[in-house]
Amino acid sequence: MMSENEEKELLASGHRMCAGCGEGTAMRAILKEAGPNSIATVATGCLEVTTTAYPQTAWEIPLIHAAFENAASVASGIEAALKQMDKKGETNILSFAGDGGTFDIGFQALSGMFERKHNVTHICLDNEAYMNTGIQRCSSTPYGASTTTSPSGKESIGEDRPKKPIARIAGAHDIPYAATATIAYIDDLKKKVNKALKADGPAFLHVFAPCPTGWRHGSDDTIELARLAVETGVFVLWEAEDGEICDIKITKKPKERKPVKEYLKKQRRFAHLTEEHIEKIQKEVDEKCEQYGF
Amino acid sequence: MGEQKGLTIQGNMATALGAKLSRPDVIPAYPITPSTLFPEKISEYIADGELDASMIRVESEHSAMSACIGASASGARACTASASQGIALMHEMLFIAAGMRLPIVMAVGNRALSAPINIWADHQDSISSRDSGWLQFYAEKNQEGLDLMILAFRIAEDERVLLPAMVGIDGFVLTHTVEGVKAPAQEDVDDFLPPYEPPHGKLDPEEPMTFGSLGTPEYYQELKYDQTQAMENTPEIIDEIFDEFEERFGREYNRITPYKCEDADIILLTMGSMSGTARAAVDEMREEGEKVGLAKLTVFRPFPGDLLKEIAGDADGLAVVDRNISPGFGGAVFAESAGTFINENRSPLMKNFIVGLGGREIFKRNFKEMYEKTKEAVEAGEVKKPVEWINMDEDVMR
Ligand SMILES: Cc1ncc(C[n+]2csc(CCOP(=O)(O)OP(=O)(O)O)c2C)c(N)n1
Ligand code: SF4
Ligand SMILES: [Mg+2]
């Protein structure tokens, strides 16, 4: 899909993300789609620390970072201020947070922003753990992943709980737009950013963004893993418009689902899993896909 | 100069009216006793078309301050109100508001902190945010609550200051007590307080800027020094603005106001609503021939050490009265006062009295007891017990 902002790079190069970071790829596409008439908030996390070290900034749009748990509340204040001061609706207001800043500590602020119907698009960059503090588990961490606070061991499979279905929970706030996306399908991601920003009210975008440092995969495998997550059914791409969370539309349906093993074996965070564990994960993915209708 | 309108209102209505006259753009707020009437009044003003502002009914105080930060960084005049647990919950964001130099104003209904849970007057809530980088004002009466709100916006937004400010009114004693106040005319407040224009830029797509950067060890200390300098330059600016306010509106404000201090041997140092009772006690003791005075603290941050030295430097004894306690040392005003005199050749002997915690009433006799105890120390030439708790109930202690 072409857009008028295609030429402008709004996240300057020279930021300090690790090589092959999925967040970087996602951000370039998202900001290009949003364009320069945008204001962003960002929660504490990898994206913030790697792009805002004083006196430099990688951001070509106005940005404010306040704390870890409140990107959506800060964005609420910006939106209210802009509305009050008569700049009606032309400026996109984006609220960025990691999975930790969205699923866990930032959830209350996010729910409040949705409920109050601020015209803000919250984008969660999901790398499935607290990466900025060194790969601790979060409610986004998938079953079986070894992290520094859910290490695998003689008595432990690693993370022993399933991932929280955040986008469905977000959609259940009856917001006009909720969707999932990933960096292997940039056109799909951009289309969703566009819809989210055009929505009349709050929108939520869950962006799956592999992290070579935390998942312990090759930095050239980032896009491949994002694709495999979709092709195996581990991460399902969908959108729900006009609050129709019970009527979600699958936006990428793999013709033939690949076995999850192909996805898992490329990441050392899953290296300890036995065939039995993998079978269990496969079964859970099968059940989830059936729920989603494929 | 328009006429000032006489009203008989509760303290929360006075701070809400002060806020309304200051024409805020965005008011994110969350209810908590004893400051709840503030967001209620603001909602009413908006509902009745008396105030053109956006009220955000946030889901917590943490989000109230976060939204104030977002709004203020966007160039809006932002304010809120809170108390006690609410201020504790937004503690993290108080530092961030100050660090970003955002002139947000908060009305505080001063209340004790849990546990045990207690909704009554106490300064612990705002005192516990002493180090957050906010200016702190404390009112003796509702009139001061109203005026200090307007003054807080004007001082906070001054280009030489750019720091957030809180205005404390004691829970129930003021928040819920009806008193007569004079409300300045809107056009006069408009004249005194022009619309807020952030001097160093705002969140604006035309001129993109990053707020809230990562400050590495190479920069953090200098940035904090800068922020601290702004606070340290503030006393003169506060004096200047207090003077201008007096000229325009006829009411005098001082960072510390002395009362019968010129020839006083012993001075009581108080803050908030207790100052009225203390003044009455001073009058009675004066009639009995005691050479006692009162110094009322209106500005706690920046701490007016310069004025305290002028007022109490020649006294024999200073009785510092604190409605807060830092376990392991004493009251905060005492610590600041002691620090003020540390390098002086001459200092009054100092005693600290902890009173009125969790809404415990403070009587004239309590101030007389503090005076007597300070006098004893002065006569003995030494302070045996620097910190004493006053008006304790022996039965409860048993
Ligand atoms: C109140 C608070 N608690 C903890 C932290 C420490 N902290 C900073 S970033 C972070 C993890 C961020 O994780 P996530 O949101 O998933 O973003 P990521 O770094 O993984 O992109 C944590 C725990 C903090 N800054 N503030
Ligand atoms: S730790 Fe992961 S998310 Fe963070 S910068 Fe590195 S690759 Fe990106
Ligand atoms: Mg993360």
Side-chain angles (χ1 to χ4, degrees), chain A residues 16-23 46 50 127 131-132 210-214:
Chain A
R16 301 159 187 209
M17 289 177 194
C18 313
C21 174
E23 288 192 357
C46 274
T50 57
N127 52 24
M131 292 310 176
N132 185 48
C211 160
T213 308

Side-chain angles (χ1 to χ4, degrees), chain B residues 263-338:
Chain B
D263 64 335
D265 293 334
I266 289 168
I267 292 173
L268 297 162
L269 179 61
T270 59
M271 191 163 86
S273 63
M274 67 164 96
S275 307
T277 316
R279 196 176 298 108
V282 165
D283 283 342
E284 287 185 11
M285 288 188 276
R286 277 279 175 180
E287 268 171 36
E288 287 154 20
E290 304 296 336
K291 284 169 96 178
V292 57
L294 169 72
K296 175 179 90 169
L297 203 54
T298 298
V299 180
F300 174 72
R301 264 291 176 273
F303 191 76
D306 56 334
L307 294 183
L308 187 61
K309 278 187 226 168
E310 273 176 34
I311 293 166
D314 290 332
D316 297 330
L318 183 63
V320 183
V321 193
D322 269 295
R323 199 166 202 163
N324 71 84
I325 178 70
S326 174
F329 187 79
V333 182
F334 175 58
E336 308 266 329
S337 304

Side-chain angles (χ1 to χ4, degrees), chain A residues 8 156 160 188 213 227 253 256 280:
Chain A
K8 288 203 188 92
S156 164
D160 61 354
D188 178 72
T213 308
R227 192 185 327 280
K253 200 181 276 189
E256 207 158 317
K280 184 174 171 200

Side-chain angles (χ1 to χ4, degrees), chain A residues 16 36-40 48-50 52-70 73-82 84-85 87 91 108-113 115-116 118, chain B residues 24-26 28 52-54 56-60 62-64 66-77 89 92-93 96 100 102 196 202-216 219 223:
Chain A
R16 301 159 187 209
N37 192 7
S38 305
I39 295 177
E48 168 262 329
V49 302
T50 57
T52 71
Y54 183 88
Q56 295 170 320
T57 180
W59 294 73
E60 305 280 1
I61 60 169
L63 172 77
I64 180 167
H65 159 253
F68 184 20
E69 64 281 60
N70 61 352
S73 308
V74 177
S76 300
I78 295 170
E79 187 250 17
L82 261 55
Q84 178 62 27
M85 294 158 75
K87 291 182 208 153
T91 304
Q108 174 180 320
L110 183 63
S111 179
M113 184 275 281
E115 172 274 319
R116 295 187 300 269
H118 292 283
Chain B
D25 300 299
V26 181
D52 178 19
S54 169
I56 314 180
R57 284 101 179 154
V58 281
E59 82 301 330
S60 74
H62 194 284
S63 284
S66 303
C68 279
I69 288 169
S72 182
S74 306
R77 181 171 285 157
L89 186 59
E92 181 193 28
M93 302 321 296
I96 293 170
M100 284 197 227
L102 300 172
Y196 173 54
K202 58 185 176 188
L203 293 169
D204 178 3
E206 304 277 315
E207 277 176 69
M209 267 176 72
T210 292
F211 284 67
S213 303
L214 170 70
T216 53
Y219 295 101
L223 294 171

Side-chain angles (χ1 to χ4, degrees), chain A residues 23 44-47 68-69 97-102 105 125 127-133 136 138 140, chain B residues 92:
Chain A
E23 288 192 357
T44 312
C46 274
L47 174 60
F68 184 20
E69 64 281 60
D99 43 298
T102 301
I105 199 166
L125 298 160
N127 52 24
E128 303 198 311
Y130 299 131
M131 292 310 176
N132 185 48
T133 36
Q136 294 82 28
C138 169
S140 61
Chain B
E92 181 193 28

